[in-house]
Amino acid sequence: VQLQASGGGLVQPGGSLRLSCAASGSTASGSTLDRHTIGWFRQAPGKEREGVSCIARSSGGGRTFYAGSVKGRFTISRSNDKNTVYLQMNSLKPDDTAVYYCAASSVSPILSSWSTPTYYESWGQGTLVTVSS
């Protein structure tokens, strides 16, 4: 599946942004996002890529996972009719500044692995989020 992340930008501390992860190219069977676990990752300059959130396939219960640093502030969701996964980010902090990537996995997520980048087979190109006054 080909992914395209969008929605990044410059926002003040305390503000909100909504990132989108859409399937790009053909929407033939197999590229529907609901057939995949979708994860959001971020990478700040000089730091390793870290898992932010993940949502399982609807057929797998649609379970969601969050990193401790974003729990209660970020919400991941699906719009199956738009073939898109969203990451709603509220109460943004300067530490949230990073390039955000979405990724797809054909495997159902579990607590010990959802945030591991190698768990995912396909990656989008990234969208920059800058939180600054």
PDB file of all heavy atoms in Angstrom, residues 11-16 91-94 130-133:
ATOM      1  N   VAL A  11       2.536  25.629  14.414  1.00  0.00           N
ATOM      2  CA  VAL A  11       1.466  25.903  15.365  1.00  0.00           C
ATOM      3  C   VAL A  11       2.083  26.365  16.674  1.00  0.00           C
ATOM      4  O   VAL A  11       3.204  25.974  17.026  1.00  0.00           O
ATOM      5  CB  VAL A  11       0.590  24.642  15.574  1.00  0.00           C
ATOM      6  CG1 VAL A  11       1.387  23.497  16.172  1.00  0.00           C
ATOM      7  CG2 VAL A  11      -0.644  24.942  16.398  1.00  0.00           C
ATOM      8  N   GLN A  12       1.367  27.216  17.392  1.00  0.00           N
ATOM      9  CA  GLN A  12       1.856  27.695  18.676  1.00  0.00           C
ATOM     10  C   GLN A  12       1.649  26.638  19.759  1.00  0.00           C
ATOM     11  O   GLN A  12       0.752  25.791  19.654  1.00  0.00           O
ATOM     12  CB  GLN A  12       1.127  28.975  19.059  1.00  0.00           C
ATOM     13  CG  GLN A  12       1.457  30.151  18.162  1.00  0.00           C
ATOM     14  CD  GLN A  12       0.832  31.438  18.665  1.00  0.00           C
ATOM     15  OE1 GLN A  12      -0.097  31.438  19.462  1.00  0.00           O
ATOM     16  NE2 GLN A  12       1.359  32.566  18.200  1.00  0.00           N
ATOM     17  N   PRO A  13       2.449  26.681  20.803  1.00  0.00           N
ATOM     18  CA  PRO A  13       2.225  25.766  21.928  1.00  0.00           C
ATOM     19  C   PRO A  13       0.796  25.870  22.440  1.00  0.00           C
ATOM     20  O   PRO A  13       0.246  26.967  22.559  1.00  0.00           O
ATOM     21  CB  PRO A  13       3.234  26.253  22.968  1.00  0.00           C
ATOM     22  CG  PRO A  13       4.332  26.870  22.162  1.00  0.00           C
ATOM     23  CD  PRO A  13       3.643  27.522  20.996  1.00  0.00           C
ATOM     24  N   GLY A  14       0.214  24.715  22.714  1.00  0.00           N
ATOM     25  CA  GLY A  14      -1.186  24.666  23.135  1.00  0.00           C
ATOM     26  C   GLY A  14      -2.168  24.526  22.000  1.00  0.00           C
ATOM     27  O   GLY A  14      -3.355  24.281  22.231  1.00  0.00           O
ATOM     28  N   GLY A  15      -1.685  24.670  20.779  1.00  0.00           N
ATOM     29  CA  GLY A  15      -2.558  24.588  19.617  1.00  0.00           C
ATOM     30  C   GLY A  15      -2.813  23.163  19.167  1.00  0.00           C
ATOM     31  O   GLY A  15      -2.379  22.200  19.819  1.00  0.00           O
ATOM     32  N   SER A  16      -3.532  23.046  18.049  1.00  0.00           N
ATOM     33  CA  SER A  16      -3.930  21.734  17.531  1.00  0.00           C
ATOM     34  C   SER A  16      -3.625  21.619  16.048  1.00  0.00           C
ATOM     35  O   SER A  16      -3.599  22.622  15.323  1.00  0.00           O
ATOM     36  CB  SER A  16      -5.441  21.522  17.736  1.00  0.00           C
ATOM     37  OG  SER A  16      -5.776  21.534  19.102  1.00  0.00           O
ATOM     38  N   SER A  91      -3.226  20.277  22.392  1.00  0.00           N
ATOM     39  CA  SER A  91      -2.306  20.709  23.457  1.00  0.00           C
ATOM     40  C   SER A  91      -0.861  20.461  23.052  1.00  0.00           C
ATOM     41  O   SER A  91      -0.067  19.905  23.824  1.00  0.00           O
ATOM     42  CB  SER A  91      -2.628  19.968  24.767  1.00  0.00           C
ATOM     43  OG  SER A  91      -3.961  20.190  25.157  1.00  0.00           O
ATOM     44  N   LEU A  92      -0.528  20.894  21.869  1.00  0.00           N
ATOM     45  CA  LEU A  92       0.811  20.626  21.345  1.00  0.00           C
ATOM     46  C   LEU A  92       1.880  21.354  22.139  1.00  0.00           C
ATOM     47  O   LEU A  92       1.675  22.469  22.637  1.00  0.00           O
ATOM     48  CB  LEU A  92       0.874  21.009  19.873  1.00  0.00           C
ATOM     49  CG  LEU A  92       0.204  19.986  18.942  1.00  0.00           C
ATOM     50  CD1 LEU A  92      -0.102  20.605  17.588  1.00  0.00           C
ATOM     51  CD2 LEU A  92       1.082  18.762  18.788  1.00  0.00           C
ATOM     52  N   LYS A  93       3.036  20.702  22.243  1.00  0.00           N
ATOM     53  CA  LYS A  93       4.180  21.225  22.984  1.00  0.00           C
ATOM     54  C   LYS A  93       5.380  21.340  22.034  1.00  0.00           C
ATOM     55  O   LYS A  93       5.446  20.637  21.029  1.00  0.00           O
ATOM     56  CB  LYS A  93       4.539  20.263  24.115  1.00  0.00           C
ATOM     57  CG  LYS A  93       3.413  19.920  25.051  1.00  0.00           C
ATOM     58  CD  LYS A  93       3.847  18.852  26.056  1.00  0.00           C
ATOM     59  CE  LYS A  93       2.724  18.453  26.982  1.00  0.00           C
ATOM     60  NZ  LYS A  93       3.141  17.403  27.941  1.00  0.00           N
ATOM     61  N   PRO A  94       6.347  22.186  22.381  1.00  0.00           N
ATOM     62  CA  PRO A  94       7.546  22.269  21.537  1.00  0.00           C
ATOM     63  C   PRO A  94       8.223  20.915  21.340  1.00  0.00           C
ATOM     64  O   PRO A  94       8.795  20.657  20.272  1.00  0.00           O
ATOM     65  CB  PRO A  94       8.429  23.245  22.318  1.00  0.00           C
ATOM     66  CG  PRO A  94       7.453  24.129  23.026  1.00  0.00           C
ATOM     67  CD  PRO A  94       6.319  23.223  23.420  1.00  0.00           C
ATOM     68  N   THR A 130       5.852  21.752  13.406  1.00  0.00           N
ATOM     69  CA  THR A 130       6.692  22.637  14.200  1.00  0.00           C
ATOM     70  C   THR A 130       5.826  23.339  15.225  1.00  0.00           C
ATOM     71  O   THR A 130       4.852  24.009  14.860  1.00  0.00           O
ATOM     72  CB  THR A 130       7.397  23.671  13.315  1.00  0.00           C
ATOM     73  OG1 THR A 130       8.158  22.995  12.295  1.00  0.00           O
ATOM     74  CG2 THR A 130       8.329  24.541  14.142  1.00  0.00           C
ATOM     75  N   VAL A 131       6.172  23.155  16.493  1.00  0.00           N
ATOM     76  CA  VAL A 131       5.424  23.799  17.581  1.00  0.00           C
ATOM     77  C   VAL A 131       6.334  24.862  18.183  1.00  0.00           C
ATOM     78  O   VAL A 131       7.333  24.555  18.835  1.00  0.00           O
ATOM     79  CB  VAL A 131       4.996  22.783  18.640  1.00  0.00           C
ATOM     80  CG1 VAL A 131       4.126  23.472  19.698  1.00  0.00           C
ATOM     81  CG2 VAL A 131       4.244  21.623  17.993  1.00  0.00           C
ATOM     82  N   SER A 132       5.981  26.099  17.946  1.00  0.00           N
ATOM     83  CA  SER A 132       6.838  27.187  18.379  1.00  0.00           C
ATOM     84  C   SER A 132       6.027  28.478  18.480  1.00  0.00           C
ATOM     85  O   SER A 132       5.088  28.694  17.715  1.00  0.00           O
ATOM     86  CB  SER A 132       7.984  27.381  17.381  1.00  0.00           C
ATOM     87  OG  SER A 132       8.769  28.511  17.724  1.00  0.00           O
ATOM     88  N   SER A 133       6.443  29.326  19.410  1.00  0.00           N
ATOM     89  CA  SER A 133       5.800  30.626  19.531  1.00  0.00           C
ATOM     90  C   SER A 133       6.581  31.675  18.737  1.00  0.00           C
ATOM     91  O   SER A 133       6.191  32.842  18.704  1.00  0.00           O
ATOM     92  CB  SER A 133       5.711  31.033  21.004  1.00  0.00           C
ATOM     93  OG  SER A 133       6.988  30.989  21.616  1.00  0.00           O
TER      94      SER A 133
END
